[in-house]
Amino acid sequence: MHPIIANLIIVTMLIAILASLGYSLFYLLLDRQNGNRTFKGLAIRIFLSMLLFIGIILAIYVGWITPGPPPL
């Protein structure tokens, strides 16, 4: 896999995670009677975060992406 494609996938997942967090915040502030939509948004955010983490670990293991050197 080309590194640019891997970077686009990672950035897209991060945007989806932030959108899910915004969705949860929106319904936390607006939906006073029932918290199901807030809970659903936070559950989706956790799922996407775990999927991204596992995907990055798998991509490093397979060799699609390589981690950079540690900062000095």
Side-chain angles (χ1 to χ4, degrees):
M1 179 182 294
H2 200 274
I4 293 176
I5 295 172
N7 287 342
L8 286 175
I9 292 171
I10 291 170
V11 169
T12 303
M13 288 291 290
L14 287 172
I15 290 171
I17 290 168
L18 288 175
S20 175
L21 190 61
Y23 172 87
S24 300
L25 178 64
F26 179 75
Y27 282 111
L28 177 67
L29 296 175
L30 250 59
D31 197 11
R32 299 280 180 186
Q33 299 164 347
N34 194 357
N36 286 339
R37 290 188 277 195
T38 301
F39 177 74
K40 185 175 103 174
L42 291 174
I44 290 171
R45 182 188 64 89
I46 291 171
F47 173 75
L48 290 174
S49 298
M50 289 186 342
L51 188 67
L52 178 63
F53 181 73
I54 292 169
I56 289 174
I57 297 298
L58 182 66
I60 290 172
Y61 180 75
V62 173
W64 291 342
I65 58 176
T66 55
L72 296 176

Short mmCIF file of all heavy atoms in Angstrom, two decimals:
data_model
loop_
_atom_site.label_atom_id
_atom_site.label_comp_id
_atom_site.label_asym_id
_atom_site.label_seq_id
_atom_site.Cartn_x
_atom_site.Cartn_y
_atom_site.Cartn_z
N MET A 1 0.85 -1.17 0.00
CA MET A 1 0.00 0.00 0.00
C MET A 1 0.90 1.24 0.00
O MET A 1 1.90 1.30 0.70
CB MET A 1 -0.90 0.00 1.23
CG MET A 1 -1.80 1.21 1.31
SD MET A 1 -2.84 1.29 2.77
CE MET A 1 -3.91 -0.09 2.52
N HIS A 2 0.51 2.20 -0.76
CA HIS A 2 1.27 3.44 -0.86
C HIS A 2 1.12 4.23 0.45
O HIS A 2 0.05 4.27 1.04
CB HIS A 2 0.76 4.26 -2.04
CG HIS A 2 1.73 5.27 -2.52
ND1 HIS A 2 1.80 6.52 -1.97
CD2 HIS A 2 2.69 5.21 -3.48
CE1 HIS A 2 2.75 7.20 -2.58
NE2 HIS A 2 3.31 6.43 -3.50
N PRO A 3 2.19 4.86 0.95
CA PRO A 3 2.10 5.61 2.22
C PRO A 3 1.07 6.74 2.20
O PRO A 3 0.48 7.04 3.23
CB PRO A 3 3.51 6.17 2.41
CG PRO A 3 4.40 5.32 1.57
CD PRO A 3 3.56 4.82 0.44
N ILE A 4 0.84 7.34 1.03
CA ILE A 4 -0.15 8.42 0.97
C ILE A 4 -1.55 7.88 1.21
O ILE A 4 -2.35 8.51 1.91
CB ILE A 4 -0.05 9.16 -0.38
CG1 ILE A 4 1.28 9.90 -0.47
CG2 ILE A 4 -1.22 10.12 -0.56
CD1 ILE A 4 1.54 10.58 -1.78
N ILE A 5 -1.84 6.69 0.69
CA ILE A 5 -3.15 6.08 0.90
C ILE A 5 -3.32 5.74 2.38
O ILE A 5 -4.39 5.96 2.96
CB ILE A 5 -3.31 4.83 0.02
CG1 ILE A 5 -3.31 5.23 -1.46
CG2 ILE A 5 -4.58 4.07 0.36
CD1 ILE A 5 -3.27 4.08 -2.43
N ALA A 6 -2.27 5.21 3.01
CA ALA A 6 -2.34 4.90 4.44
C ALA A 6 -2.57 6.17 5.25
O ALA A 6 -3.39 6.17 6.19
CB ALA A 6 -1.05 4.21 4.88
N ASN A 7 -1.90 7.26 4.89
CA ASN A 7 -2.10 8.53 5.60
C ASN A 7 -3.52 9.05 5.41
O ASN A 7 -4.12 9.57 6.36
CB ASN A 7 -1.10 9.57 5.12
CG ASN A 7 0.29 9.30 5.63
OD1 ASN A 7 0.46 8.55 6.58
ND2 ASN A 7 1.28 9.89 4.99
N LEU A 8 -4.06 8.92 4.21
CA LEU A 8 -5.44 9.35 3.97
C LEU A 8 -6.44 8.54 4.78
O LEU A 8 -7.41 9.09 5.31
CB LEU A 8 -5.78 9.27 2.47
CG LEU A 8 -5.15 10.34 1.60
CD1 LEU A 8 -5.46 10.06 0.13
CD2 LEU A 8 -5.66 11.70 1.99
N ILE A 9 -6.21 7.25 4.89
CA ILE A 9 -7.09 6.40 5.70
C ILE A 9 -7.02 6.82 7.16
O ILE A 9 -8.06 6.93 7.84
CB ILE A 9 -6.73 4.91 5.51
CG1 ILE A 9 -7.07 4.47 4.09
CG2 ILE A 9 -7.43 4.04 6.54
CD1 ILE A 9 -6.57 3.09 3.74
N ILE A 10 -5.83 7.07 7.67
CA ILE A 10 -5.66 7.47 9.07
C ILE A 10 -6.33 8.82 9.33
O ILE A 10 -7.05 8.99 10.31
CB ILE A 10 -4.17 7.49 9.44
CG1 ILE A 10 -3.61 6.08 9.46
CG2 ILE A 10 -3.95 8.18 10.78
CD1 ILE A 10 -2.11 5.99 9.59
N VAL A 11 -6.13 9.79 8.44
CA VAL A 11 -6.74 11.11 8.62
C VAL A 11 -8.26 11.02 8.51
O VAL A 11 -8.98 11.66 9.30
CB VAL A 11 -6.16 12.11 7.59
CG1 VAL A 11 -6.95 13.39 7.56
CG2 VAL A 11 -4.70 12.39 7.90
N THR A 12 -8.76 10.20 7.60
CA THR A 12 -10.20 10.02 7.47
C THR A 12 -10.80 9.41 8.74
O THR A 12 -11.86 9.84 9.20
CB THR A 12 -10.53 9.14 6.25
OG1 THR A 12 -9.95 9.72 5.09
CG2 THR A 12 -12.02 8.99 6.07
N MET A 13 -10.11 8.44 9.31
CA MET A 13 -10.59 7.83 10.56
C MET A 13 -10.57 8.85 11.70
O MET A 13 -11.50 8.88 12.51
CB MET A 13 -9.73 6.62 10.92
CG MET A 13 -9.95 5.42 10.04
SD MET A 13 -11.56 4.67 10.27
CE MET A 13 -11.38 3.99 11.89
N LEU A 14 -9.54 9.67 11.77
CA LEU A 14 -9.48 10.69 12.82
C LEU A 14 -10.62 11.71 12.67
O LEU A 14 -11.22 12.14 13.66
CB LEU A 14 -8.13 11.40 12.81
CG LEU A 14 -6.95 10.58 13.33
CD1 LEU A 14 -5.64 11.32 13.09
CD2 LEU A 14 -7.13 10.27 14.79
N ILE A 15 -10.94 12.08 11.43
CA ILE A 15 -12.06 13.00 11.20
C ILE A 15 -13.37 12.34 11.59
O ILE A 15 -14.23 12.99 12.20
CB ILE A 15 -12.05 13.47 9.73
CG1 ILE A 15 -10.86 14.39 9.48
CG2 ILE A 15 -13.36 14.17 9.37
CD1 ILE A 15 -10.64 14.74 8.03
N ALA A 16 -13.52 11.05 11.29
CA ALA A 16 -14.74 10.33 11.68
C ALA A 16 -14.87 10.24 13.20
O ALA A 16 -15.96 10.37 13.75
CB ALA A 16 -14.75 8.93 11.06
N ILE A 17 -13.75 10.06 13.89
CA ILE A 17 -13.76 10.01 15.35
C ILE A 17 -14.18 11.37 15.92
O ILE A 17 -15.00 11.45 16.84
CB ILE A 17 -12.39 9.57 15.88
CG1 ILE A 17 -12.16 8.10 15.56
CG2 ILE A 17 -12.26 9.82 17.38
CD1 ILE A 17 -10.73 7.63 15.78
N LEU A 18 -13.64 12.45 15.37
CA LEU A 18 -14.01 13.79 15.83
C LEU A 18 -15.47 14.10 15.51
O LEU A 18 -16.17 14.74 16.32
CB LEU A 18 -13.09 14.84 15.21
CG LEU A 18 -11.67 14.87 15.75
CD1 LEU A 18 -10.83 15.87 14.97
CD2 LEU A 18 -11.66 15.19 17.22
N ALA A 19 -15.96 13.65 14.36
CA ALA A 19 -17.36 13.86 14.01
C ALA A 19 -18.27 13.11 14.97
O ALA A 19 -19.31 13.64 15.40
CB ALA A 19 -17.62 13.41 12.57
N SER A 20 -17.91 11.91 15.34
CA SER A 20 -18.69 11.14 16.30
C SER A 20 -18.69 11.81 17.67
O SER A 20 -19.70 11.83 18.37
CB SER A 20 -18.14 9.72 16.41
OG SER A 20 -18.81 9.00 17.40
N LEU A 21 -17.56 12.37 18.05
CA LEU A 21 -17.49 13.09 19.32
C LEU A 21 -18.36 14.34 19.29
O LEU A 21 -19.05 14.65 20.26
CB LEU A 21 -16.03 13.45 19.61
CG LEU A 21 -15.71 13.99 20.99
CD1 LEU A 21 -16.06 12.96 22.05
CD2 LEU A 21 -14.24 14.33 21.08
N GLY A 22 -18.35 15.05 18.17
CA GLY A 22 -19.23 16.22 18.02
C GLY A 22 -20.69 15.84 18.04
O GLY A 22 -21.53 16.54 18.62
N TYR A 23 -21.04 14.72 17.40
CA TYR A 23 -22.41 14.20 17.41
C TYR A 23 -22.86 13.94 18.85
O TYR A 23 -23.96 14.30 19.25
CB TYR A 23 -22.45 12.91 16.58
CG TYR A 23 -23.73 12.14 16.62
CD1 TYR A 23 -24.76 12.43 15.73
CD2 TYR A 23 -23.92 11.08 17.50
CE1 TYR A 23 -25.94 11.71 15.75
CE2 TYR A 23 -25.08 10.36 17.52
CZ TYR A 23 -26.10 10.67 16.64
OH TYR A 23 -27.27 9.95 16.67
N SER A 24 -21.97 13.31 19.62
CA SER A 24 -22.30 13.01 21.02
C SER A 24 -22.48 14.28 21.83
O SER A 24 -23.40 14.38 22.64
CB SER A 24 -21.21 12.16 21.64
OG SER A 24 -21.07 10.95 20.95
N LEU A 25 -21.61 15.25 21.64
CA LEU A 25 -21.72 16.51 22.37
C LEU A 25 -23.01 17.24 22.02
O LEU A 25 -23.69 17.77 22.89
CB LEU A 25 -20.51 17.39 22.08
CG LEU A 25 -20.52 18.77 22.75
CD1 LEU A 25 -20.48 18.62 24.27
CD2 LEU A 25 -19.36 19.60 22.25
N PHE A 26 -23.35 17.24 20.73
CA PHE A 26 -24.56 17.90 20.27
C PHE A 26 -25.79 17.32 20.97
O PHE A 26 -26.63 18.04 21.49
CB PHE A 26 -24.69 17.77 18.75
CG PHE A 26 -25.92 18.39 18.19
CD1 PHE A 26 -26.03 19.76 18.07
CD2 PHE A 26 -26.96 17.60 17.77
CE1 PHE A 26 -27.17 20.34 17.54
CE2 PHE A 26 -28.11 18.15 17.24
CZ PHE A 26 -28.21 19.52 17.13
N TYR A 27 -25.89 15.98 20.99
CA TYR A 27 -27.05 15.36 21.61
C TYR A 27 -26.96 15.35 23.13
O TYR A 27 -27.99 15.23 23.80
CB TYR A 27 -27.29 13.97 21.04
CG TYR A 27 -27.94 14.05 19.69
CD1 TYR A 27 -27.25 13.69 18.54
CD2 TYR A 27 -29.23 14.54 19.56
CE1 TYR A 27 -27.84 13.80 17.30
CE2 TYR A 27 -29.82 14.66 18.32
CZ TYR A 27 -29.13 14.28 17.20
OH TYR A 27 -29.72 14.41 15.97
N LEU A 28 -25.79 15.49 23.69
CA LEU A 28 -25.68 15.63 25.14
C LEU A 28 -26.29 16.96 25.58
O LEU A 28 -26.98 17.04 26.60
CB LEU A 28 -24.22 15.55 25.57
CG LEU A 28 -23.93 15.75 27.06
CD1 LEU A 28 -24.50 14.58 27.85
CD2 LEU A 28 -22.44 15.86 27.29
N LEU A 29 -26.07 18.00 24.78
CA LEU A 29 -26.59 19.32 25.13
C LEU A 29 -28.06 19.48 24.77
O LEU A 29 -28.79 20.20 25.46
CB LEU A 29 -25.76 20.40 24.43
CG LEU A 29 -24.29 20.48 24.84
CD1 LEU A 29 -23.56 21.49 23.98
CD2 LEU A 29 -24.16 20.81 26.30
N LEU A 30 -28.53 18.84 23.70
CA LEU A 30 -29.88 19.03 23.22
C LEU A 30 -30.88 18.02 23.75
O LEU A 30 -32.02 18.37 24.04
CB LEU A 30 -29.91 18.99 21.69
CG LEU A 30 -30.18 20.31 20.99
CD1 LEU A 30 -29.18 21.35 21.35
CD2 LEU A 30 -30.29 20.10 19.52
N ASP A 31 -30.49 16.77 23.84
CA ASP A 31 -31.42 15.69 24.17
C ASP A 31 -31.46 15.48 25.67
O ASP A 31 -30.74 14.66 26.21
CB ASP A 31 -30.98 14.42 23.43
CG ASP A 31 -32.08 13.39 23.36
OD1 ASP A 31 -33.22 13.72 23.69
OD2 ASP A 31 -31.78 12.26 22.94
N ARG A 32 -32.31 16.20 26.36
CA ARG A 32 -32.37 16.15 27.82
C ARG A 32 -33.14 14.93 28.34
O ARG A 32 -32.92 14.50 29.45
CB ARG A 32 -33.04 17.41 28.37
CG ARG A 32 -32.30 18.67 28.03
CD ARG A 32 -31.15 18.88 28.93
NE ARG A 32 -30.46 20.12 28.57
CZ ARG A 32 -29.36 20.49 29.11
NH1 ARG A 32 -28.80 19.77 30.04
NH2 ARG A 32 -28.77 21.60 28.73
N GLN A 33 -34.06 14.39 27.55
CA GLN A 33 -34.93 13.32 28.05
C GLN A 33 -34.28 11.95 27.97
O GLN A 33 -34.42 11.13 28.87
CB GLN A 33 -36.24 13.31 27.27
CG GLN A 33 -37.01 14.60 27.40
CD GLN A 33 -38.08 14.72 26.35
OE1 GLN A 33 -38.10 13.97 25.40
NE2 GLN A 33 -38.98 15.67 26.53
N ASN A 34 -33.58 11.69 26.89
CA ASN A 34 -33.06 10.35 26.66
C ASN A 34 -31.61 10.46 26.19
O ASN A 34 -31.33 11.20 25.28
CB ASN A 34 -33.93 9.65 25.60
CG ASN A 34 -33.69 8.18 25.55
OD1 ASN A 34 -32.84 7.66 26.26
ND2 ASN A 34 -34.43 7.50 24.71
N GLY A 35 -30.73 9.70 26.80
CA GLY A 35 -29.32 9.77 26.46
C GLY A 35 -28.87 8.69 25.49
O GLY A 35 -27.67 8.44 25.38
N ASN A 36 -29.81 8.04 24.78
CA ASN A 36 -29.43 6.95 23.89
C ASN A 36 -28.57 7.43 22.73
O ASN A 36 -27.63 6.74 22.34
CB ASN A 36 -30.66 6.23 23.35
CG ASN A 36 -31.31 5.36 24.41
OD1 ASN A 36 -30.68 4.99 25.39
ND2 ASN A 36 -32.58 5.06 24.23
N ARG A 37 -28.88 8.57 22.17
CA ARG A 37 -28.09 9.06 21.03
C ARG A 37 -26.69 9.47 21.47
O ARG A 37 -25.72 9.27 20.74
CB ARG A 37 -28.80 10.22 20.34
CG ARG A 37 -30.05 9.75 19.61
CD ARG A 37 -30.62 10.84 18.78
NE ARG A 37 -31.46 11.71 19.60
CZ ARG A 37 -32.31 12.59 19.10
NH1 ARG A 37 -32.45 12.72 17.80
NH2 ARG A 37 -33.02 13.34 19.90
N THR A 38 -26.58 10.03 22.67
CA THR A 38 -25.26 10.38 23.20
C THR A 38 -24.44 9.11 23.42
O THR A 38 -23.27 9.04 23.03
CB THR A 38 -25.40 11.14 24.52
OG1 THR A 38 -26.16 12.32 24.29
CG2 THR A 38 -24.04 11.50 25.09
N PHE A 39 -25.07 8.12 24.02
CA PHE A 39 -24.38 6.85 24.26
C PHE A 39 -23.97 6.19 22.95
O PHE A 39 -22.86 5.66 22.83
CB PHE A 39 -25.29 5.91 25.06
CG PHE A 39 -24.70 4.56 25.29
CD1 PHE A 39 -23.67 4.40 26.21
CD2 PHE A 39 -25.14 3.47 24.58
CE1 PHE A 39 -23.11 3.15 26.41
CE2 PHE A 39 -24.58 2.22 24.77
CZ PHE A 39 -23.56 2.07 25.69
N LYS A 40 -24.85 6.22 21.96
CA LYS A 40 -24.54 5.61 20.66
C LYS A 40 -23.35 6.31 20.00
O LYS A 40 -22.46 5.65 19.47
CB LYS A 40 -25.77 5.68 19.75
CG LYS A 40 -25.58 4.98 18.43
CD LYS A 40 -26.88 4.97 17.64
CE LYS A 40 -26.78 6.01 16.57
NZ LYS A 40 -27.91 6.00 15.65
N GLY A 41 -23.32 7.64 20.06
CA GLY A 41 -22.21 8.39 19.48
C GLY A 41 -20.89 8.09 20.16
O GLY A 41 -19.85 7.95 19.50
N LEU A 42 -20.91 7.98 21.48
CA LEU A 42 -19.68 7.67 22.21
C LEU A 42 -19.23 6.23 21.96
O LEU A 42 -18.03 5.96 21.87
CB LEU A 42 -19.87 7.92 23.70
CG LEU A 42 -20.02 9.39 24.08
CD1 LEU A 42 -20.35 9.52 25.56
CD2 LEU A 42 -18.77 10.18 23.74
N ALA A 43 -20.19 5.31 21.82
CA ALA A 43 -19.84 3.92 21.51
C ALA A 43 -19.21 3.82 20.12
O ALA A 43 -18.24 3.08 19.92
CB ALA A 43 -21.08 3.04 21.60
N ILE A 44 -19.73 4.59 19.17
CA ILE A 44 -19.15 4.59 17.83
C ILE A 44 -17.74 5.16 17.87
O ILE A 44 -16.83 4.66 17.21
CB ILE A 44 -20.05 5.39 16.86
CG1 ILE A 44 -21.34 4.62 16.61
CG2 ILE A 44 -19.34 5.68 15.56
CD1 ILE A 44 -22.39 5.41 15.84
N ARG A 45 -17.53 6.21 18.67
CA ARG A 45 -16.20 6.81 18.79
C ARG A 45 -15.20 5.81 19.36
O ARG A 45 -14.07 5.69 18.87
CB ARG A 45 -16.24 8.05 19.67
CG ARG A 45 -14.89 8.74 19.78
CD ARG A 45 -14.92 9.85 20.80
NE ARG A 45 -15.17 9.38 22.15
CZ ARG A 45 -14.21 9.00 22.99
NH1 ARG A 45 -12.96 9.00 22.63
NH2 ARG A 45 -14.51 8.60 24.21
N ILE A 46 -15.60 5.07 20.37
CA ILE A 46 -14.71 4.07 20.97
C ILE A 46 -14.40 2.98 19.95
O ILE A 46 -13.25 2.55 19.81
CB ILE A 46 -15.34 3.48 22.25
CG1 ILE A 46 -15.35 4.56 23.34
CG2 ILE A 46 -14.58 2.25 22.72
CD1 ILE A 46 -16.13 4.17 24.56
N PHE A 47 -15.42 2.52 19.21
CA PHE A 47 -15.21 1.49 18.20
C PHE A 47 -14.25 1.98 17.11
O PHE A 47 -13.32 1.26 16.72
CB PHE A 47 -16.55 1.07 17.58
CG PHE A 47 -16.40 0.15 16.42
CD1 PHE A 47 -16.06 -1.18 16.62
CD2 PHE A 47 -16.59 0.61 15.13
CE1 PHE A 47 -15.91 -2.04 15.55
CE2 PHE A 47 -16.45 -0.24 14.05
CZ PHE A 47 -16.10 -1.57 14.26
N LEU A 48 -14.45 3.21 16.62
CA LEU A 48 -13.57 3.74 15.59
C LEU A 48 -12.14 3.93 16.10
O LEU A 48 -11.18 3.67 15.38
CB LEU A 48 -14.11 5.07 15.06
CG LEU A 48 -15.38 5.01 14.22
CD1 LEU A 48 -15.87 6.41 13.91
CD2 LEU A 48 -15.14 4.22 12.95
N SER A 49 -11.99 4.34 17.35
CA SER A 49 -10.65 4.52 17.93
C SER A 49 -9.93 3.18 18.04
O SER A 49 -8.74 3.08 17.71
CB SER A 49 -10.75 5.16 19.31
OG SER A 49 -11.31 6.44 19.22
N MET A 50 -10.64 2.15 18.49
CA MET A 50 -10.02 0.83 18.59
C MET A 50 -9.69 0.29 17.21
O MET A 50 -8.62 -0.31 17.01
CB MET A 50 -10.95 -0.14 19.33
CG MET A 50 -11.05 0.16 20.80
SD MET A 50 -11.98 -1.01 21.83
CE MET A 50 -12.97 -1.93 20.74
N LEU A 51 -10.58 0.50 16.24
CA LEU A 51 -10.33 0.06 14.87
C LEU A 51 -9.10 0.75 14.28
O LEU A 51 -8.27 0.11 13.64
CB LEU A 51 -11.57 0.32 14.01
CG LEU A 51 -11.58 -0.25 12.62
CD1 LEU A 51 -11.62 -1.76 12.67
CD2 LEU A 51 -12.77 0.28 11.86
N LEU A 52 -8.97 2.04 14.54
CA LEU A 52 -7.80 2.79 14.06
C LEU A 52 -6.52 2.28 14.71
O LEU A 52 -5.51 2.07 14.03
CB LEU A 52 -7.97 4.28 14.33
CG LEU A 52 -6.82 5.19 13.92
CD1 LEU A 52 -6.60 5.14 12.42
CD2 LEU A 52 -7.08 6.61 14.37
N PHE A 53 -6.54 2.06 16.00
CA PHE A 53 -5.37 1.58 16.72
C PHE A 53 -4.94 0.21 16.20
O PHE A 53 -3.76 -0.02 15.90
CB PHE A 53 -5.66 1.52 18.22
CG PHE A 53 -4.50 1.05 19.05
CD1 PHE A 53 -3.41 1.87 19.27
CD2 PHE A 53 -4.50 -0.22 19.60
CE1 PHE A 53 -2.33 1.44 20.02
CE2 PHE A 53 -3.42 -0.66 20.35
CZ PHE A 53 -2.35 0.17 20.56
N ILE A 54 -5.89 -0.71 16.08
CA ILE A 54 -5.58 -2.04 15.57
C ILE A 54 -5.10 -1.97 14.12
O ILE A 54 -4.17 -2.68 13.73
CB ILE A 54 -6.81 -2.97 15.72
CG1 ILE A 54 -7.07 -3.24 17.20
CG2 ILE A 54 -6.61 -4.28 14.97
CD1 ILE A 54 -8.39 -3.91 17.48
N GLY A 55 -5.72 -1.09 13.33
CA GLY A 55 -5.31 -0.94 11.94
C GLY A 55 -3.89 -0.41 11.80
O GLY A 55 -3.13 -0.87 10.95
N ILE A 56 -3.51 0.54 12.65
CA ILE A 56 -2.14 1.08 12.61
C ILE A 56 -1.14 0.01 13.02
O ILE A 56 -0.10 -0.16 12.38
CB ILE A 56 -2.02 2.34 13.48
CG1 ILE A 56 -2.77 3.49 12.83
CG2 ILE A 56 -0.56 2.71 13.70
CD1 ILE A 56 -2.84 4.74 13.68
N ILE A 57 -1.44 -0.73 14.09
CA ILE A 57 -0.55 -1.81 14.53
C ILE A 57 -0.41 -2.86 13.43
O ILE A 57 0.70 -3.32 13.13
CB ILE A 57 -1.06 -2.44 15.84
CG1 ILE A 57 -1.06 -1.42 16.97
CG2 ILE A 57 -0.25 -3.68 16.21
CD1 ILE A 57 0.29 -0.86 17.32
N LEU A 58 -1.51 -3.24 12.79
CA LEU A 58 -1.47 -4.23 11.72
C LEU A 58 -0.70 -3.70 10.51
O LEU A 58 0.10 -4.44 9.91
CB LEU A 58 -2.90 -4.61 11.31
CG LEU A 58 -3.04 -5.67 10.23
CD1 LEU A 58 -2.51 -7.00 10.74
CD2 LEU A 58 -4.48 -5.79 9.80
N ALA A 59 -0.89 -2.43 10.15
CA ALA A 59 -0.18 -1.85 9.02
C ALA A 59 1.32 -1.78 9.28
O ALA A 59 2.12 -1.99 8.36
CB ALA A 59 -0.73 -0.47 8.71
N ILE A 60 1.73 -1.51 10.50
CA ILE A 60 3.15 -1.52 10.83
C ILE A 60 3.70 -2.94 10.75
O ILE A 60 4.78 -3.18 10.21
CB ILE A 60 3.40 -0.90 12.23
CG1 ILE A 60 3.12 0.60 12.20
CG2 ILE A 60 4.81 -1.18 12.72
CD1 ILE A 60 3.14 1.26 13.56
N TYR A 61 2.94 -3.90 11.26
CA TYR A 61 3.38 -5.30 11.25
C TYR A 61 3.54 -5.83 9.83
O TYR A 61 4.51 -6.51 9.52
CB TYR A 61 2.38 -6.15 12.03
CG TYR A 61 2.74 -7.61 12.08
CD1 TYR A 61 3.77 -8.07 12.89
CD2 TYR A 61 2.05 -8.54 11.31
CE1 TYR A 61 4.11 -9.41 12.94
CE2 TYR A 61 2.39 -9.89 11.34
CZ TYR A 61 3.41 -10.31 12.16
OH TYR A 61 3.75 -11.63 12.19
N VAL A 62 2.59 -5.50 8.95
CA VAL A 62 2.63 -5.98 7.58
C VAL A 62 3.67 -5.21 6.76
O VAL A 62 4.20 -5.73 5.79
CB VAL A 62 1.22 -5.86 6.94
CG1 VAL A 62 1.24 -6.19 5.47
CG2 VAL A 62 0.24 -6.75 7.67
N GLY A 63 3.98 -3.99 7.15
CA GLY A 63 4.99 -3.20 6.46
C GLY A 63 4.41 -2.15 5.53
O GLY A 63 5.13 -1.57 4.71
N TRP A 64 3.10 -1.89 5.63
CA TRP A 64 2.49 -0.86 4.79
C TRP A 64 2.93 0.52 5.20
O TRP A 64 3.05 1.42 4.38
CB TRP A 64 0.97 -0.96 4.85
CG TRP A 64 0.42 -2.18 4.19
CD1 TRP A 64 1.03 -2.99 3.29
CD2 TRP A 64 -0.88 -2.74 4.39
NE1 TRP A 64 0.22 -4.01 2.92
CE2 TRP A 64 -0.98 -3.88 3.57
CE3 TRP A 64 -1.96 -2.38 5.17
CZ2 TRP A 64 -2.12 -4.65 3.52
CZ3 TRP A 64 -3.10 -3.16 5.12
CH2 TRP A 64 -3.17 -4.28 4.30
N ILE A 65 3.16 0.71 6.50
CA ILE A 65 3.69 1.98 6.99
C ILE A 65 4.87 1.67 7.90
O ILE A 65 4.95 0.60 8.49
CB ILE A 65 2.63 2.82 7.74
CG1 ILE A 65 2.03 2.08 8.92
CG2 ILE A 65 1.53 3.28 6.80
CD1 ILE A 65 1.07 2.89 9.75
N THR A 66 5.78 2.61 8.00
CA THR A 66 6.93 2.43 8.90
C THR A 66 6.97 3.60 9.87
O THR A 66 6.82 4.75 9.47
CB THR A 66 8.25 2.38 8.10
OG1 THR A 66 8.35 3.55 7.31
CG2 THR A 66 8.31 1.16 7.21
N PRO A 67 7.15 3.31 11.13
CA PRO A 67 7.24 4.41 12.10
C PRO A 67 8.53 5.18 11.92
O PRO A 67 9.55 4.64 11.51
CB PRO A 67 7.19 3.71 13.46
CG PRO A 67 7.58 2.30 13.19
CD PRO A 67 7.23 2.01 11.76
N GLY A 68 8.45 6.46 12.20
CA GLY A 68 9.62 7.32 12.09
C GLY A 68 10.53 7.14 13.29
O GLY A 68 10.20 6.46 14.26
N PRO A 69 11.69 7.78 13.24
CA PRO A 69 12.60 7.70 14.39
C PRO A 69 12.01 8.45 15.58
O PRO A 69 11.23 9.38 15.43
CB PRO A 69 13.88 8.38 13.88
CG PRO A 69 13.41 9.27 12.79
CD PRO A 69 12.22 8.60 12.17
N PRO A 70 12.39 8.04 16.78
CA PRO A 70 11.88 8.75 17.96
C PRO A 70 12.43 10.16 18.02
O PRO A 70 13.53 10.43 17.54
CB PRO A 70 12.38 7.91 19.14
CG PRO A 70 13.52 7.13 18.60
CD PRO A 70 13.26 6.93 17.14
N PRO A 71 11.68 11.10 18.60
CA PRO A 71 12.18 12.48 18.69
C PRO A 71 13.38 12.56 19.64
O PRO A 71 13.53 11.78 20.56
CB PRO A 71 10.99 13.26 19.24
CG PRO A 71 10.12 12.24 19.90
CD PRO A 71 10.36 10.94 19.19
N LEU A 72 14.22 13.53 19.39
CA LEU A 72 15.44 13.69 20.21
C LEU A 72 15.14 14.37 21.50
O LEU A 72 14.44 15.20 21.75
CB LEU A 72 16.48 14.48 19.43
CG LEU A 72 16.99 13.76 18.18
CD1 LEU A 72 17.97 14.69 17.44
CD2 LEU A 72 17.71 12.48 18.55
#
